Amino acid sequence: MAEPTEIRLGDLSGQSWVPVEACALPTAEQPLRVAEFDALFRDAVRGMERVSPTSLRLRIDAAAEARARELTDRESSCCSFFRFEFAATGADLVHLEIGVPDERTEVLDALAARVQAAETA
């Protein structure tokens, strides 16, 4: 039997997160990381824009910037293809730009789906 090549995100989106060979996070920790992102999306995201097929911009509450930076730093350490950039947009919001290479657009699709699911939850 062939081994699965993708990690499933769970019930919110039903889409793939990251191909197994691209993720160094231990399998047991993956659901916890997904839950952390879901909580950040639910609690702090104030808007989303798909800038390009390989770039997603989130507007997050400035009060959650430190939390978002810490989470994205940890994610970068296990999934090195991600690019996370922060930019202040004013007193209340920070832009979090998430980038992936062309061959990982499905990861960005899954993240966008999770943000949308969190907005409607």
Side-chain angles (χ1 to χ4, degrees):
M1 181 187 310
E3 290 188 33
T5 59
E6 297 178 341
I7 299 165
R8 301 309 283 176
L9 284 178
D11 296 330
L12 274 180
S13 74
Q15 295 190 20
S16 302
W17 179 265
V18 178
V20 171
E21 71 277 1
C23 184
L25 188 66
T27 303
E29 294 179 31
Q30 292 167 4
L32 300 173
R33 180 69 53 83
V34 170
E36 287 182 90
F37 270 103
D38 285 345
L40 177 69
F41 298 157
R42 182 185 60 249
D43 299 343
V45 172
R46 303 296 176 248
M48 173 179 67
E49 175 186 2
R50 188 66 177 257
V51 179
S52 74
T54 60
S55 184
L56 180 68
R57 181 178 300 137
L58 303 180
R59 290 181 301 282
I60 62 171
D61 189 313
E65 181 179 2
R67 174 181 166 197
R69 283 183 181 272
E70 191 271 334
L71 180 57
T72 58
D73 284 347
R74 287 187 290 127
E75 187 65 17
S76 293
S77 72
C78 65
C79 295
S80 61
F81 63 85
F82 273 119
R83 176 185 49 80
F84 297 104
E85 295 177 1
F86 290 83
T89 64
D92 299 7
L93 294 174
V94 173
H95 280 170
L96 167 55
E97 188 118 0
I98 305 169
V100 297
D102 289 335
E103 64 274 7
R104 300 286 187 216
T105 58
E106 75 282 353
V107 174
L108 215 51
D109 295 341
L111 276 173
R114 292 196 80 79
V115 172
Q116 284 184 314
E119 288 177 340
T120 59

